[in-house]
Amino acid sequence: MSSQGLKCLHSKGKLPDLKSVEVDFCESCVLGKQKRVSFKKTGRVPAKEKLELVHTDVWGPASVSSTGGKQYFVTFIDDHSRKVWVYFLKHKSEVFDAFKRWKARVENETGLKIKKLHSDNGGEYEDSEFKRFCYLSRIKLSRTVPGTPQQNGIAERMNRTLTERARSMRLHSGLPKQFWAEAVNTAAYLINRGPSKPLDLAIPEEIWTGKEVKLSHLKVFGCVSYVHIGDHARNKLDAKSVKCTLVGYGEDEFGYKLWDDQNRKMIRSRDVVFNEKVMYKDRNTQVSEPEEPEYFGPNDVSENRVLEPVNQNDEEQGVPLQVTDPIPYRDVQATQAESAVRRSTRTPIPNRKYLQYMLLTDAGEPECYDEAYQGKDASKWELAMKDEMKSLISNQTWELAKLPEGKKALQNKWVFRIKDEHDGSKRYKARLVVKGFQQIEGIDYSEIFSPVVKLTTIRLVLSIVAAKGLYLEQLDVKTAFLHGDLEEEIYMQQPEGFAEDGKEELVCRLTKSLYGLKQAPRQWYKKFDGFMQGNGYLRCNADHCCYFKKVKSSFIILLLYVDDMLVAGADLEEINNLKKQLSSEFEMKDLGAVKQILGMRISRNEQEGTLKLSQAEYVRKVLQRFSMGDAKSVRTPLASHFRLSKEQSPKTEEEKDFMAKVPYASAIGSLMYAMTCTRPDISHAVGVVSRYMSNPGKLHWEAVKWILRYLRGTTERCLTFRRDELKLEGYVDSDFAGEVDHRRSTTGYVFTMASTAISWMSQLQKIVTISTTEAEYVAVTESSKELIWLQGLLAELGFDQVMNVLHSDSQSAIHLAKNSAFHSRTKHIDLRYHFIRSLIEEGVLKLVKIAGSKNPADMLTKPVTTEKLELCAASVGLQE
């Protein structure tokens, strides 16, 4: 058939079966600017016009939420032009909304209507509203046969291409995983402007718009850039630019999308200078190392090459922006040569977030075995891995064996950390970790719970140490989890890089527990607990990680937190004997006199008889992380003008997008760790802002920043234990209906030993009380439970407490606790809250009135004035 004959048929809307022929089309052919279409190569007949056939599919969920909180993305592909649009979603249920937005957009651009939508059988496409909308819009829905994803191959292939390209771009730049959406969106932007193999190397964007594509504005993803700061946004002596990282291009407006790592925000700008030789991972170095370019081949620029999904802040990532910097059109080979990928030899610096009780650590560690051997510290990491293997072999952790039929060998990986020692040096540490998530309950493990010492117990023992002038030593167990004996039969693959020559086909039959196994902490604790009790130590019933032993006329207390130990005693010789006993059973590291524990610094002054527990360094790291290191300080943790409620949660899409970029949960986790360790003065404020974790608003975020500003001015504040009488006292208070949403009251209590706080709490009550008296009465009962626990622990340590005083500023609550005759007024109160009456009758505690102006528990229930806050802090030993 001639080209002219085909043209006539084509112009009449007919198209013969040309799957087995190869023909030339004339310039006026509706297939666009293609000079040649090889049906032998493509095996398909492209759609005759735009939007005649649209392919769609959903990818996700991602292992890490994007910077905008997204977990999925959906793609829409025009079959005619092969142009792809990407929209990012928090939930699959948002696909319908994304489709409606995309439909309105493309139909407005082209003036054409979508005729057919091809998808798989995902539930998001089976939604009744989705079907009804397509029916009313005259859109034919076409779905694959169940279990045959290949029938949706175009969309599936595109999702794979996007994810693979995004993965490569992100790893090359060293950006953290939460930037996966930015990388995916950039990959889609480049695919639309690159040669497409199904279109015989035509460019999708040109076919879609009918205009020549400009490529001069393209830069290397993840490279360092310098964004100009206008005169209106800076002072005369301020810097004229800010150092950022390129993470994408504009969509509907001009400009580049850049990440300001210092201020943790996205910036859009056109006034940018790029340094494409320096990536995000190398941003702290002034000169990049020599790099060997690697060029894309013909297959790499086609749709058959893909990247892994990347993150994005904007809710809608549609057609990326078209920048109008003019440059002459270049052929494919020239474009490929100019877009050569540079691979740095530097080790990527991961950006890790810990959401709960976050201990911030320095970055700079490799993420896998290959990175460790390719980095500049390869020799140090190799030495660390050999040291770990030496410990594993000497401990006889496994034996090589053939994998039994029906058994599965668990995988493992190397984990690398750089530890900061108390003397300022750095220690390179490598751990072989089993991928415990592959274990199956009932087969590979059963019970997994393992206790750790309570922070309250640590503070209580520190108060005893200060009051009695005891020695306090610290020990660390090397490879603690390797000492546990396994009760299950578990197999593991040989460690990467250390497979035994000639026995590569064998696997490791574990005889001892290993890091990463779900039961490893429990097995280690059982082994240690058996050793301690076998050597005459008593395990405290109040805290199973606290051990006590009377030695001659003295005693020894040992506290265990996983593999860290604190040993307190009056006789240094007996402490050394304990160290020898432990070293004979476990591989120990003697750290001498204690310097820090769990990120808390411990400093002693023998002359003044004081012991200070501080988190100043941790607080500074938190402030630096959230760009509050130079913020203006305030004098209270929560100002009285903050009346937070659920009504202040985001209501508009704009507010939701703004809050999606805010690290609210991460900030709360950081503050909570400081609060539970050494800072009772922020307990009430942290408790208030943590109520809105699920849906925080701008005012909630302002309150969090206010707390950070308070810490900025009180960084050096710490708990100071003194040489004083070991007397346990408690202070309790309650507000009345202080919570705006449900009108519940807040219980606050603090217990001191030798006038320094050892236990505190600020918590919403579980019931709605109907009077101030009732709220105070409930608070007294709740605090009495903690008092009984502390008395029990002290008794086990040999410091019996008799008739401890619990101070309350509510006279009516005290009368109610002492007098059961008020039945008519109190019969609605739950019986469990009358527990305090039996304690008073039995003489376990004494409930005493204290003036409200002198009650330190006030700071745990409500915002207080600066003067009152200082008084409360001083009353519980919290000082600079």
Side-chain angles (χ1 to χ4, degrees), residues 615 618-619 622-623 634-638 667-691 703-715 717 719 746 760-763 856-864 869 872-873 876 878:
Q615 283 183 291
Y618 173 77
V619 170
V622 171
L623 294 173
V634 293
R635 302 182 65 184
T636 59
L638 194 65
I668 296 296
S670 302
L671 292 172
M672 199 168 288
Y673 188 75
M675 174 200 76
T676 56
C677 289
T678 61
R679 299 301 297 267
D681 52 333
I682 65 172
S683 293
H684 173 255
V686 174
V688 171
V689 296
S690 63
R691 298 169 193 168
V704 171
K705 291 195 291 185
W706 188 279
I707 302 173
L708 291 170
R709 290 171 61 191
Y710 170 73
L711 290 178
R712 168 75 174 83
T714 58
T715 303
R717 186 166 285 184
L719 289 174
T746 301
W760 56 84
M761 187 190 75
S762 177
Q763 189 177 70
D858 266 5
M859 66 178 179
L860 302 172
T861 61
K862 61 184 75 71
V864 295
L869 180 64
C872 294
V876 297
L878 195 60

XYZ file of all heavy atoms in Angstrom, residues 615 618-619 622-623 634-638 667-691 703-715 717 719 746 760-763 856-864 869 872-873 876 878:
538
model
N 21.010 17.860 79.979
C 20.825 17.535 78.561
C 21.114 18.755 77.682
O 20.517 18.915 76.619
C 19.398 17.060 78.301
C 19.117 15.639 78.735
C 17.713 15.205 78.374
O 16.732 15.682 78.921
N 17.612 14.280 77.432
N 22.140 17.893 74.107
C 21.006 17.375 73.346
C 20.050 18.494 72.952
O 19.585 18.554 71.804
C 20.261 16.328 74.174
C 18.978 15.855 73.540
C 18.999 14.951 72.485
C 17.741 16.325 73.972
C 17.826 14.523 71.890
C 16.569 15.900 73.383
C 16.613 14.999 72.346
O 15.454 14.572 71.757
N 19.760 19.404 73.874
C 18.849 20.516 73.585
C 19.415 21.386 72.471
O 18.685 21.836 71.571
C 18.592 21.344 74.859
C 17.858 22.633 74.526
C 17.791 20.531 75.871
N 18.787 19.732 69.195
C 17.378 19.845 68.808
C 17.102 21.223 68.232
O 16.439 21.372 67.194
C 16.464 19.563 70.017
C 15.019 19.904 69.682
C 16.572 18.109 70.439
N 17.599 22.259 68.893
C 17.392 23.630 68.410
C 18.018 23.819 67.042
O 17.444 24.469 66.160
C 17.974 24.626 69.415
C 17.289 24.695 70.784
C 18.081 25.593 71.731
C 15.866 25.212 70.653
N 12.279 33.061 75.097
C 11.144 33.519 75.903
C 11.319 32.938 77.301
O 12.122 32.026 77.524
C 9.796 33.079 75.296
C 9.548 33.773 73.976
C 9.746 31.563 75.107
N 10.523 33.409 78.263
C 10.778 33.069 79.657
C 9.813 32.035 80.227
O 9.953 31.620 81.371
C 10.737 34.350 80.496
C 11.753 35.393 80.022
C 11.729 36.638 80.880
N 12.167 36.364 82.249
C 12.157 37.280 83.216
N 11.711 38.506 82.957
N 12.562 36.965 84.432
N 8.827 31.648 79.466
C 7.897 30.605 79.921
C 7.721 29.573 78.814
O 7.790 29.920 77.625
C 6.519 31.194 80.285
O 5.967 31.854 79.143
C 6.640 32.173 81.443
N 7.489 28.296 79.166
C 7.345 27.265 78.127
C 6.067 27.376 77.305
O 6.005 26.895 76.182
C 7.383 25.955 78.918
C 7.026 26.326 80.302
C 7.485 27.733 80.521
N 5.028 27.994 77.858
C 3.785 28.159 77.105
C 3.087 29.416 77.612
O 2.698 29.485 78.791
C 2.868 26.940 77.278
C 1.702 26.838 76.294
C 2.209 26.644 74.866
C 0.776 25.693 76.671
N 9.398 17.199 66.029
C 9.685 18.175 67.084
C 9.098 17.727 68.417
O 9.746 17.850 69.465
C 9.128 19.540 66.685
N 7.876 17.192 68.392
C 7.254 16.713 69.618
C 8.072 15.576 70.221
O 8.304 15.517 71.437
C 5.809 16.243 69.359
C 4.930 17.413 68.906
C 5.215 15.603 70.612
C 4.760 18.494 69.934
N 8.520 14.643 69.385
C 9.338 13.538 69.881
C 10.619 14.017 70.533
O 11.029 13.508 71.579
N 11.258 15.007 69.936
C 12.489 15.554 70.499
C 12.236 16.219 71.844
O 12.993 16.041 72.800
C 13.101 16.564 69.526
O 13.352 15.970 68.278
N 11.165 17.013 71.916
C 10.819 17.690 73.167
C 10.432 16.680 74.248
O 10.750 16.855 75.432
C 9.670 18.667 72.933
C 9.981 19.888 72.066
C 8.703 20.660 71.759
C 10.989 20.794 72.761
N 9.750 15.622 73.835
C 9.287 14.636 74.818
C 10.451 13.923 75.481
O 10.407 13.602 76.674
C 8.359 13.641 74.128
C 7.469 12.875 75.083
S 6.171 11.967 74.221
C 5.109 13.319 73.719
N 11.514 13.654 74.737
C 12.670 12.995 75.346
C 13.319 13.903 76.386
O 13.717 13.443 77.468
C 13.684 12.593 74.285
C 14.793 11.749 74.840
C 14.573 10.412 75.154
C 16.048 12.282 75.090
C 15.575 9.628 75.704
C 17.063 11.509 75.624
C 16.824 10.186 75.930
O 17.818 9.420 76.478
N 13.444 15.189 76.070
C 14.001 16.131 77.058
C 13.098 16.209 78.280
O 13.567 16.248 79.428
C 14.174 17.506 76.425
N 11.790 16.236 78.059
C 10.832 16.354 79.163
C 10.917 15.144 80.092
O 10.913 15.292 81.316
C 9.423 16.462 78.593
C 8.314 16.439 79.614
S 6.719 15.989 78.895
C 6.929 14.220 78.688
N 10.989 13.944 79.557
C 10.975 12.744 80.394
C 12.290 12.514 81.116
O 12.317 11.786 82.110
C 10.663 11.495 79.539
O 11.610 11.412 78.473
C 9.268 11.567 78.965
N 13.373 13.117 80.637
C 14.687 12.877 81.249
C 15.030 13.905 82.331
O 15.322 13.529 83.466
C 15.767 12.879 80.174
S 15.725 11.441 79.099
N 15.006 15.183 81.979
C 15.544 16.184 82.916
C 14.736 17.464 83.004
O 15.091 18.338 83.810
C 16.981 16.582 82.490
O 16.945 17.167 81.182
C 17.903 15.373 82.494
N 13.665 17.629 82.219
C 13.012 18.930 82.153
C 11.531 18.870 82.537
O 10.648 18.906 81.674
C 13.168 19.525 80.755
C 14.589 19.769 80.311
C 15.338 20.720 81.243
N 14.750 22.024 81.257
C 15.129 23.030 80.467
N 16.115 22.863 79.618
N 14.531 24.204 80.550
N 11.221 18.766 83.840
C 9.804 18.791 84.241
C 9.126 20.123 83.966
O 7.898 20.187 83.897
C 9.876 18.509 85.750
C 11.250 18.910 86.161
C 12.122 18.601 84.995
N 9.901 21.187 83.781
C 9.302 22.505 83.571
C 8.577 22.626 82.234
O 7.743 23.528 82.070
C 10.366 23.613 83.692
C 11.577 23.355 82.818
O 11.861 22.176 82.526
O 12.257 24.321 82.426
N 8.848 21.736 81.278
C 8.146 21.809 79.993
C 7.080 20.710 79.863
O 6.498 20.547 78.799
C 9.131 21.730 78.801
C 9.816 20.359 78.758
C 10.148 22.855 78.860
C 10.649 20.142 77.494
N 6.830 19.975 80.933
C 5.905 18.834 80.859
C 4.508 19.257 80.428
O 3.899 18.639 79.554
C 5.836 18.129 82.212
O 7.060 17.517 82.516
N 3.979 20.307 81.044
C 2.625 20.732 80.703
C 2.546 21.222 79.257
O 1.626 20.873 78.517
C 2.163 21.838 81.641
C 0.852 22.442 81.246
N 0.755 23.697 80.661
C -0.412 21.968 81.312
C -0.520 23.957 80.402
N -1.240 22.932 80.790
N 3.521 22.009 78.848
C 3.513 22.561 77.485
C 3.599 21.453 76.442
O 2.859 21.455 75.451
C 4.669 23.546 77.319
N 4.480 20.472 76.656
C 4.621 19.367 75.703
C 3.351 18.515 75.692
O 2.897 18.060 74.631
C 5.849 18.503 76.048
C 5.911 17.268 75.161
C 7.127 19.320 75.902
N 2.747 18.334 76.866
C 1.497 17.579 76.927
C 0.382 18.236 76.133
O -0.417 17.562 75.478
N 0.332 19.549 76.160
C -0.717 20.279 75.442
C -0.536 20.145 73.938
O -1.472 19.800 73.210
C -0.715 21.763 75.860
C -1.643 22.569 74.948
C -1.168 21.912 77.313
N 0.677 20.396 73.428
C 0.880 20.371 71.969
C 0.829 18.955 71.416
O 0.523 18.759 70.228
C 2.213 21.055 71.594
C 2.188 22.527 71.956
C 3.396 20.371 72.272
N 1.118 17.946 72.256
C 1.091 16.566 71.748
C -0.329 16.048 71.533
O -0.517 15.006 70.897
C 1.831 15.647 72.717
O 1.190 15.613 73.970
N -1.341 16.769 72.008
C -2.730 16.341 71.803
C -3.164 16.476 70.343
O -4.168 15.894 69.935
C -3.673 17.177 72.678
C -3.423 17.024 74.166
C -4.205 18.061 74.957
N -3.752 18.141 76.344
C -4.098 19.111 77.184
N -4.907 20.087 76.774
N -3.638 19.112 78.424
N 2.978 27.161 68.933
C 3.178 26.789 70.335
C 4.421 25.911 70.489
O 5.177 26.054 71.469
C 1.945 26.069 70.866
N 4.642 25.007 69.544
C 5.845 24.167 69.588
C 7.092 25.028 69.468
O 8.070 24.843 70.204
C 5.805 23.107 68.466
C 7.140 22.368 68.364
C 4.679 22.113 68.710
N 7.074 25.988 68.564
C 8.226 26.875 68.415
C 8.434 27.721 69.670
O 9.566 28.069 70.017
C 8.048 27.759 67.173
C 8.127 26.982 65.867
C 8.312 27.895 64.670
C 7.073 28.717 64.395
N 7.196 29.524 63.157
N 7.341 28.044 70.343
C 7.459 28.801 71.595
C 8.223 27.981 72.640
O 9.080 28.506 73.371
C 6.079 29.169 72.117
C 6.078 30.103 73.297
C 6.285 29.761 74.594
C 5.892 31.519 73.285
N 6.226 30.867 75.408
C 5.987 31.962 74.633
C 5.637 32.451 72.290
C 5.837 33.299 74.991
C 5.491 33.787 72.644
C 5.592 34.199 73.976
N 7.913 26.683 72.715
C 8.633 25.815 73.651
C 10.116 25.751 73.296
O 10.989 25.801 74.174
C 8.026 24.395 73.647
C 6.548 24.435 74.012
C 8.779 23.489 74.614
C 5.838 23.101 73.865
N 10.416 25.650 71.999
C 11.812 25.626 71.559
C 12.510 26.936 71.914
O 13.694 26.932 72.294
C 11.876 25.370 70.055
C 11.448 23.960 69.595
C 11.323 23.915 68.081
C 12.436 22.907 70.077
N 11.810 28.031 71.798
C 12.392 29.324 72.174
C 12.650 29.386 73.677
O 13.633 29.985 74.130
C 11.464 30.458 71.737
C 11.388 30.653 70.231
C 10.297 31.648 69.847
N 10.544 32.951 70.426
C 9.650 33.940 70.434
N 8.460 33.754 69.882
N 9.946 35.102 70.967
N 11.778 28.763 74.456
C 12.008 28.705 75.906
C 13.265 27.884 76.211
O 14.094 28.285 77.050
C 10.788 28.098 76.593
C 11.016 27.779 78.051
C 11.085 28.787 79.009
C 11.170 26.456 78.476
C 11.308 28.485 80.351
C 11.387 26.156 79.800
C 11.456 27.169 80.747
O 11.684 26.881 82.073
N 13.423 26.752 75.526
C 14.627 25.943 75.719
C 15.876 26.687 75.265
O 16.956 26.482 75.827
C 14.498 24.631 74.942
C 13.477 23.619 75.473
C 13.426 22.397 74.561
C 13.799 23.199 76.892
N 15.710 27.539 74.269
C 16.841 28.343 73.791
C 17.405 29.210 74.924
O 18.625 29.394 75.037
C 16.364 29.229 72.631
C 17.317 30.338 72.205
C 18.488 29.790 71.409
N 19.294 30.874 70.889
C 20.241 31.517 71.570
N 20.497 31.175 72.821
N 20.946 32.497 71.019
N 16.541 29.716 75.780
C 16.998 30.571 76.877
C 17.339 29.816 78.143
O 17.896 30.389 79.082
N 16.997 28.507 78.201
C 17.257 27.722 79.419
C 18.004 26.438 79.089
O 17.795 25.403 79.729
C 15.924 27.378 80.126
O 15.081 26.644 79.213
C 15.204 28.627 80.571
N 18.898 26.510 78.115
C 19.611 25.317 77.653
C 20.408 24.661 78.765
O 20.479 23.427 78.865
C 20.548 25.682 76.485
O 19.777 26.286 75.444
C 21.248 24.458 75.940
N 19.856 24.571 81.929
C 19.111 24.177 83.126
C 19.195 22.659 83.307
O 19.023 21.898 82.362
C 17.660 24.625 83.012
C 16.826 24.401 84.262
C 15.530 25.171 84.206
N 15.744 26.594 84.444
C 14.782 27.500 84.533
N 13.513 27.113 84.394
N 15.058 28.758 84.743
N 19.027 19.158 86.467
C 18.662 18.661 87.791
C 19.920 18.566 88.648
O 20.917 17.978 88.220
C 18.001 17.288 87.691
C 16.584 17.235 87.092
C 16.141 15.785 86.931
C 15.603 17.991 87.967
N -6.381 18.528 84.067
C -5.025 18.005 83.969
C -4.478 17.694 85.350
O -4.545 18.532 86.253
C -4.090 19.011 83.271
O -4.595 19.293 81.959
C -2.681 18.465 83.160
N 7.900 12.863 87.816
C 6.891 13.890 87.562
C 5.971 13.448 86.428
O 6.302 12.561 85.639
C 7.555 15.229 87.217
C 8.501 15.158 86.058
C 8.197 15.230 84.730
C 9.919 14.989 86.132
N 9.336 15.121 83.959
C 10.403 14.975 84.792
C 10.829 14.850 87.184
C 11.747 14.832 84.504
C 12.173 14.704 86.886
C 12.631 14.693 85.555
N 4.825 14.077 86.363
C 3.860 13.751 85.304
C 2.894 14.903 85.126
O 2.513 15.571 86.087
C 3.071 12.485 85.643
C 2.168 12.006 84.505
S 1.024 10.694 84.995
C -0.173 11.648 85.927
N 2.509 15.142 83.886
C 1.449 16.082 83.541
C 0.576 15.382 82.515
O 1.014 15.120 81.394
C 2.020 17.384 82.969
O 0.981 18.248 82.568
N -0.682 15.073 82.907
C -1.508 14.223 82.051
C -2.976 14.585 82.195
O -3.446 14.915 83.286
C -1.284 12.762 82.427
C -1.904 11.758 81.483
C -1.566 10.343 81.892
O -2.053 9.856 82.918
N -0.728 9.679 81.118
N 5.060 23.481 93.789
C 5.814 23.350 92.523
C 5.057 22.585 91.439
O 5.415 22.664 90.266
C 7.082 22.604 92.953
C 6.708 21.888 94.199
C 5.694 22.746 94.887
N 4.009 21.846 91.821
C 3.241 21.098 90.817
C 2.381 21.999 89.957
O 1.819 21.544 88.954
C 2.367 20.046 91.501
N 2.254 23.281 90.328
C 1.466 24.218 89.527
C 1.973 24.308 88.089
O 1.191 24.463 87.151
C 1.489 25.610 90.171
C 0.298 25.821 91.090
O -0.467 24.860 91.275
O 0.143 26.930 91.620
N 3.302 24.225 87.900
C 3.858 24.373 86.548
C 3.539 23.177 85.668
O 3.756 23.217 84.456
C 5.375 24.569 86.612
C 6.143 23.363 87.123
S 7.929 23.652 87.106
C 8.529 22.103 87.790
N 3.004 22.092 86.269
C 2.672 20.888 85.511
C 1.225 20.852 85.056
O 0.813 19.900 84.382
C 2.969 19.647 86.348
C 4.413 19.498 86.841
C 4.524 18.339 87.814
C 5.362 19.296 85.672
N 0.425 21.848 85.434
C -1.008 21.806 85.118
C -1.504 22.995 84.332
O -2.590 22.941 83.753
C -1.833 21.693 86.403
O -1.572 22.843 87.229
C -1.472 20.440 87.180
N -0.746 24.087 84.308
C -1.246 25.304 83.654
C -0.085 26.226 83.323
O 0.999 26.097 83.920
C -2.233 26.018 84.576
C -1.607 26.466 85.891
C -2.619 27.084 86.830
C -3.514 26.061 87.470
N -2.799 25.217 88.480
N -0.255 27.150 82.392
C 0.766 28.177 82.176
C 0.879 29.060 83.418
O -0.138 29.460 83.995
C 0.227 28.974 80.978
C -0.741 28.059 80.311
C -1.348 27.247 81.399
N 2.088 29.335 83.863
C 2.308 30.153 85.058
C 3.181 31.345 84.698
O 3.801 31.405 83.640
C 2.974 29.330 86.178
C 2.041 28.221 86.656
C 4.289 28.713 85.702
N 7.188 30.257 87.816
C 7.946 29.199 87.167
C 9.325 29.059 87.792
O 9.797 27.939 88.051
C 8.066 29.486 85.668
C 8.835 28.440 84.853
C 8.109 27.099 84.881
C 9.033 28.907 83.417
N 8.918 27.354 91.186
C 8.633 25.925 91.038
C 9.880 25.152 90.637
O 10.162 24.065 91.176
C 7.532 25.713 90.006
S 5.918 26.353 90.488
N 10.639 25.701 89.685
C 11.849 25.025 89.224
C 12.876 24.903 90.341
O 13.494 23.850 90.537
C 12.439 25.766 88.031
N 12.269 22.104 92.995
C 12.514 20.701 92.637
C 13.944 20.484 92.154
O 14.240 19.494 91.482
C 11.512 20.227 91.564
C 10.106 20.277 92.090
C 11.636 21.053 90.283
N 15.757 22.177 89.977
C 16.019 22.459 88.564
C 16.627 23.842 88.461
O 15.960 24.842 88.714
C 14.711 22.388 87.777
C 14.792 22.303 86.253
C 15.547 21.068 85.805
C 13.408 22.315 85.640
